[in-house]
Amino acid sequence: MLTRNCLSLLLWVLFDGGLLTPLHPQPQQTLEAEPRENVVPVPGRRSSAQRVKRGWVWNQFFVLEEYMGSEPQYVGKLHSDLDKGVGTVKYTLSGDGAGTVFTIDETTGDIHAIRSLDREEKPFYTLRAQAVDVDTKKPLEPESEFIIKVQDINDNEPKFLDGPYVASVPEMSPVGVIRTALPNMDREVKEQYQVLIQAKDMGGQLGGLAGTTTVNITLTDVNDNPPRFPKSIFHLKVPESSHVGSAIGRIRAVDPDFGKNAEIEYNIVPGDGGNLFDITTDENTQEGVIKLKKPLDFETKKAYTFKVEASNLHLDHRFHSVGPFKDTATVKINVLDMDEPPVFSKPVYTMEVYEDTPVGTIIGAVTAQDLDAGSSSVRYFIDWKNDVDSYFTIDATEGTIATNEILDRESTAQYNFSIIASKVSNPLLTSKVNVIINVLDVNEFPPEISVPYETSVCENAKAGQVIQTVTAADKDLSPAGQRFSFRLSPEASNKPNFTIHDYRNNTAGIETRRNGYSRRQQELYFLPVVIEDSSYPVQSSTNTMTIRVCRCDSDGTILSCNVEAIFLPVGLSTGALIAILLCIVILLVIVVLYVALRRQKKKDTLMTSKEDIRDNVIHYDDEGGGEEDTQAFDIGALRNPKVIEDNKIRRDIKPDTLRFPRQRPPVEDNTDIRDFINQRLQENDVDPTAPPYDSLATYAYEGNGSVAESLSSIDSLTTEADQDYDYLSDWGPRFKILADMFGEEESYNPDKVT
């Protein structure tokens, strides 16, 4: 330390004492600041400009990192040329780390680091220094800035930033970035490797620091192993009842490779029984799934043997020299006997039977057998589904099918039903077969002319002229090649008018047998034609053709005929007779209804005549419900005393509250109507709910003892002149108008009635 101070003092003397030098172990790294020009006035002399030396000279200070000494680390010394060493100058320090990292002696200007520094954390510090007068507290020099750099030491070992590392190398790889220490490294032997890598600084020299990391190396798979079956023979047992398409067993070849390199394809080698089976690969387990292509039958063949080949799908040409990447194994399948249902000899049975065949006639048979080792008897029955199946029966033991009802081809031409066969030893085991029965036609309908048409002949027709071509139709199902023959009936064959010519192709022509026909002599000719079929038994019918004689021109064109020709059958059918009778009945009903309506209309006219006033009702100044009020009284009750016992609520008013009707004593059948009317009159007079207006009710019968006697037209006199209406004046003011109307016959005038 003393040596440094002496050296600093010597340098200061050499540079005229105005220089500030650092006391640092590495002076060769100092950097001087540029000189500063100041103009200082000298008192007592002529003012002149002179060069003044700068007050501060700075170099960079250096300090070692990671200092571990017990005393603060000395950094350097600050000194001002104005400091005479008498304690009048005070040094201050500010900036990065001032007071916390670095301190300065206010008197001497010595700078120390008071704690350990780390260059990797902060490589340098920028500070500011100033010299201040102790007494005046004024700066003696302007504030200046300097830098303290932290010198690096080897205190950090190398570090791997992203460790541990992961790498993959295909197995059997050649030399590359990562060198293998062993040849032919096989993933199937060992897949994972861990490598420790060390890095040293200082070029690996003594005293350098080192860092380590781990590299995990995985050997990736390549297809260097072929698939291998663990055994050469696989034994499978399959029930003969297995369904086609079902999986009956699995085999597996082992491939130590991984992923797509371990994908295996299985194939059946053509040979014994291979055409009955198929094999596919299960993508999840890489197993070979054997499936059934055709049904098995223990009674036909009990065992099958074939070979299966397993090979890789994705081959690597680099390893072809290792050998073929496939393997072969033998599969032996033993068929197990199962209790099976009976088997019909045919998949479908087709039979034929003639219509009208007698009931009980056997038309065919079905046959089913139990093919199991212990053969069992078979029972047959019809699978009843609808009433159609009841037309036939089947023998439960023999399987013969017979008719159960009379068949009609025109109603049903074909029957389709099922026969079920079951084993006697196990009735639950059944099989079914379809039976089709075609009903053959029996010639039961005679042929007829296909269309009822008429024909005509010209008056100037020549002998041998064809006037019409006819055809025939048969309701029976005509077999191929059936022929119809045409001829005249025996009674018409001797007549010289017309004949029929059979063309032998199911048609015939009607020809004339003479020259000229006269409408005056005979207008219509009836020609009976016999049509016969060729089926068995032979059926025939006679159809009558109507031939009308018409006037024609020279070319044969018809000019006029009296009426249109019609086709007349031999006799009227039942339907035609019923239609005629029905029309007659309808006409009779219409006539009866017409007559009844006329009579009713005449009666209504008489009843509404003004001379007949027996049942007329005339209202005068009626303050009741009006002319449309027909609900005030029940006239029917007056006509029939039995209904007076019915308790009814008045219909001419709407009562405020519901009032139960009064109980009245029953009226005998022979009670006088007068007493009944008086009783009702008294009840209405005391009834508070009765309407406050007068109403007039008329009755067809007023009873015995009435002053006016009966008003019935039966008991009335023959003429109005014989009647005496003077008694109307004694009935009171209510009958005053009637008395005025009928009191004097000569003064009656209907126009004055209002």
Side-chain angles (χ1 to χ4, degrees):
M1 183 69 67
L2 181 58
T3 304
R4 291 179 182 175
N5 293 337
C6 293
L7 182 59
S8 299
L9 182 58
L10 178 59
L11 292 175
W12 177 73
V13 173
L14 293 176
F15 289 97
D16 200 13
L19 300 178
L20 178 67
T21 58
L23 302 178
H24 198 276
Q26 297 179 356
Q28 67 274 13
Q29 299 182 2
T30 61
L31 179 62
E32 295 184 350
E34 293 296 331
R36 182 180 58 187
E37 300 292 337
N38 291 323
V39 178
V40 181
V42 180
R45 294 187 181 180
R46 181 175 54 91
S47 178
S48 62
Q50 66 177 17
R51 183 177 181 271
V52 180
K53 298 181 180 178
R54 58 187 175 86
W56 295 87
V57 177
W58 301 102
N59 290 326
Q60 291 182 351
F61 293 97
F62 296 90
V63 63
L64 293 176
E65 67 172 339
E66 304 296 343
Y67 175 74
M68 304 302 292
S70 58
E71 298 294 333
Q73 183 181 2
Y74 180 76
V75 178
K77 183 180 181 63
L78 297 180
H79 185 73
S80 175
D81 56 355
L82 300 179
D83 186 4
K84 304 303 181 180
V86 293
T88 59
V89 179
K90 178 184 177 181
Y91 296 96
T92 62
L93 190 65
S94 62
D96 293 342
T100 58
V101 178
F102 303 99
T103 60
I104 188 171
D105 191 320
E106 295 179 352
T107 304
T108 63
D110 293 332
I111 300 175
H112 292 83
I114 61 175
R115 68 182 182 88
S116 178
L117 303 178
D118 188 358
R119 189 196 67 84
E120 287 72 27
E121 182 179 343
K122 190 174 181 64
F124 62 91
Y125 295 84
T126 303
L127 297 97
R128 293 179 298 277
Q130 192 172 37
V132 182
D133 186 277
V134 175
D135 297 329
T136 63
K137 305 300 182 182
K138 293 182 178 181
L140 300 176
E141 293 287 345
E143 187 179 48
S144 298
E145 184 177 86
F146 65 96
I147 296 175
I148 298 177
K149 290 187 176 181
V150 181
Q151 285 188 323
D152 185 36
I153 64 173
N154 191 15
D155 60 340
N156 292 292
E157 72 277 3
K159 291 184 179 180
F160 294 91
L161 301 179
D162 300 325
Y165 296 89
V166 177
S168 61
V169 178
E171 61 177 338
M172 305 298 179
S173 295
V175 175
V177 176
I178 298 179
R179 299 173 182 267
T180 58
L182 298 175
N184 298 329
M185 298 181 69
D186 194 352
R187 186 199 65 85
E188 288 72 30
V189 177
K190 185 176 182 180
E191 184 177 3
Q192 298 286 341
Y193 292 89
Q194 194 174 68
V195 178
L196 184 64
I197 298 178
Q198 184 183 60
K200 287 186 176 182
D201 58 8
M202 297 180 64
Q205 296 179 4
L206 184 62
L209 300 179
T212 60
T213 188
T214 301
V215 179
N216 296 318
I217 301 177
T218 302
L219 293 182
T220 58
D221 185 59
V222 296
N223 192 7
D224 58 340
N225 295 285
R228 291 286 183 264
F229 284 105
K231 54 184 179 181
S232 59
I233 299 178
F234 292 87
H235 294 275
L236 299 176
K237 295 182 179 180
V238 182
E240 63 174 340
S241 60
S242 298
H243 298 287
V244 174
S246 61
I248 60 175
R250 291 172 175 256
I251 62 175
R252 186 174 186 273
V254 179
D255 191 337
D257 292 325
F258 178 76
K260 69 175 184 178
N261 295 322
E263 294 180 0
I264 302 174
E265 181 183 19
Y266 297 90
N267 292 289
I268 294 178
V269 179
D272 179 29
N275 58 343
L276 270 71
F277 306 95
D278 193 11
I279 188 169
T280 59
T281 303
D282 189 330
E283 295 181 357
N284 297 324
T285 62
Q286 293 300 315
E287 292 179 317
V289 182
I290 300 177
K291 296 183 178 181
L292 191 62
K293 290 174 59 177
K294 297 180 181 180
L296 300 175
D297 187 9
F298 175 82
E299 289 71 26
T300 303
K301 192 170 184 178
K302 300 178 176 60
Y304 297 89
T305 302
F306 55 90
K307 291 184 177 182
V308 175
E309 182 182 81
S311 59
N312 282 134
L313 288 175
H314 307 282
L315 301 178
D316 194 332
H317 62 88
R318 295 176 298 173
F319 304 101
H320 285 175
S321 59
V322 177
F325 278 74
K326 59 183 178 180
D327 195 14
T328 304
T330 302
V331 178
K332 290 187 176 181
I333 295 179
N334 295 322
V335 181
L336 301 179
D337 187 21
M338 303 296 293
D339 196 5
E340 297 177 301
V343 179
F344 283 96
S345 59
K346 296 180 181 180
V348 177
Y349 289 86
T350 302
M351 304 176 185
E352 295 180 347
V353 59
Y354 281 98
E355 61 179 339
D356 299 331
T357 299
V359 175
T361 302
I362 296 176
I363 59 178
V366 297
T367 304
Q369 295 180 351
D370 181 16
L371 302 180
D372 293 331
S375 180
S376 173
S377 301
V378 178
R379 292 291 181 266
Y380 305 92
F381 57 93
I382 296 177
D383 185 14
W384 299 103
K385 291 183 178 179
N386 48 53
D387 296 338
V388 176
D389 301 333
S390 63
Y391 283 91
F392 306 94
T393 60
I394 188 170
D395 187 275
T397 304
E398 301 296 332
T400 56
I401 300 175
T403 58
N404 195 36
E405 295 183 17
I406 297 296
L407 305 179
D408 183 11
R409 191 204 65 81
E410 285 71 30
S411 175
T412 304
Q414 188 182 80
Y415 294 88
N416 193 332
F417 56 92
S418 298
I419 300 294
I420 297 177
S422 64
K423 297 175 64 172
V424 176
S425 60
N426 188 356
L428 297 178
L429 293 177
T430 62
S431 58
K432 185 183 295 185
V433 71
N434 194 33
V435 177
I436 300 175
I437 297 180
N438 296 317
V439 181
L440 302 180
D441 185 44
V442 173
N443 193 22
E444 54 184 338
F445 294 99
E448 298 176 352
I449 293 179
S450 58
V451 179
Y453 47 78
E454 84 280 351
T455 186
S456 60
V457 62
C458 294
E459 289 180 317
N460 55 358
K462 303 297 182 180
Q465 181 179 346
V466 178
I467 61 174
Q468 185 65 50
T469 301
V470 295
T471 59
D474 195 341
K475 295 181 180 179
D476 293 316
L477 181 63
S478 302
Q482 183 177 9
R483 300 290 298 274
F484 298 108
S485 60
F486 301 84
R487 69 175 186 274
L488 292 178
S489 62
E491 64 271 15
S493 59
N494 297 327
K495 295 181 180 181
N497 297 317
F498 301 95
T499 186
I500 188 168
H501 179 69
D502 191 352
Y503 296 139
R504 306 297 181 182
N505 60 354
N506 295 337
T507 61
I510 299 176
E511 299 179 355
T512 58
R513 299 181 65 177
R514 62 187 179 89
N515 295 325
Y517 297 87
S518 174
R519 287 188 297 170
R520 295 181 180 179
Q521 295 179 359
Q522 187 173 351
E523 183 180 1
L524 296 177
Y525 292 89
F526 301 102
L527 182 66
V529 179
V530 178
I531 306 175
E532 188 177 89
D533 59 20
S534 59
S535 300
Y536 180 83
V538 175
Q539 297 286 347
S540 63
S541 66
T542 301
N543 300 264
T544 301
M545 292 290 298
T546 300
I547 304 174
R548 182 176 298 276
V549 180
C550 299
R551 185 169 62 87
C552 305
D553 57 11
S554 59
D555 298 330
T557 303
I558 297 177
L559 298 178
S560 65
C561 293
N562 290 339
V563 295
E564 296 180 356
I566 58 172
F567 172 76
L568 295 178
V570 176
L572 292 176
S573 63
T574 304
L577 293 176
I578 293 175
I580 294 173
L581 292 177
L582 184 61
C583 292
I584 295 173
V585 171
I586 293 174
L587 291 175
L588 291 176
V589 171
I590 293 174
V591 171
V592 171
L593 291 176
Y594 177 75
V595 173
L597 291 175
R598 291 292 301 273
R599 294 184 62 184
Q600 182 67 27
K601 184 176 180 181
K602 183 176 181 181
K603 181 185 294 185
D604 293 343
T605 304
L606 293 175
M607 293 296 294
T608 57
S609 175
K610 68 177 182 178
E611 290 81 10
D612 190 358
I613 57 174
R614 288 170 296 177
D615 292 330
N616 290 352
V617 177
I618 304 176
H619 298 273
Y620 310 97
D621 295 330
D622 191 359
E623 297 181 1
E627 295 181 357
E628 299 299 327
D629 184 10
T630 60
Q631 304 297 328
F633 295 92
D634 189 358
I635 298 178
L638 298 177
R639 296 178 183 272
N640 185 7
K642 291 184 179 181
V643 303
I644 65 177
E645 299 177 5
D646 296 339
N647 296 326
K648 298 182 180 179
I649 301 175
R650 296 178 65 91
R651 293 176 291 174
D652 58 329
I653 63 172
K654 182 178 182 181
D656 295 336
T657 58
L658 182 63
R659 179 176 61 86
F660 293 97
R662 295 184 301 274
Q663 298 292 334
R664 304 185 182 93
V667 181
E668 300 296 334
D669 294 344
N670 56 358
T671 302
D672 198 321
I673 298 301
R674 180 182 61 186
D675 297 337
F676 165 73
I677 294 175
N678 292 332
Q679 179 183 352
R680 287 298 178 87
L681 179 62
Q682 183 179 1
E683 290 176 357
N684 283 274
D685 289 341
V686 299
D687 188 358
T689 62
Y693 52 81
D694 295 333
S695 60
L696 177 63
T698 61
Y699 310 97
Y701 177 69
E702 296 185 5
N704 296 326
S706 173
V707 178
E709 296 183 351
S710 175
L711 298 179
S712 173
S713 60
I714 299 177
D715 297 334
S716 300
L717 298 178
T718 56
T719 62
E720 293 183 358
D722 297 336
Q723 297 187 25
D724 186 8
Y725 298 101
D726 295 339
Y727 59 86
L728 295 176
S729 301
D730 300 334
W731 285 10
R734 294 185 177 182
F735 298 90
K736 183 177 182 301
I737 297 178
L738 289 177
D740 294 340
M741 291 175 59
F742 297 99
E744 296 181 2
E745 180 180 359
E746 62 277 2
S747 63
Y748 175 75
N749 188 355
D751 297 335
K752 295 182 180 180
V753 178
T754 58

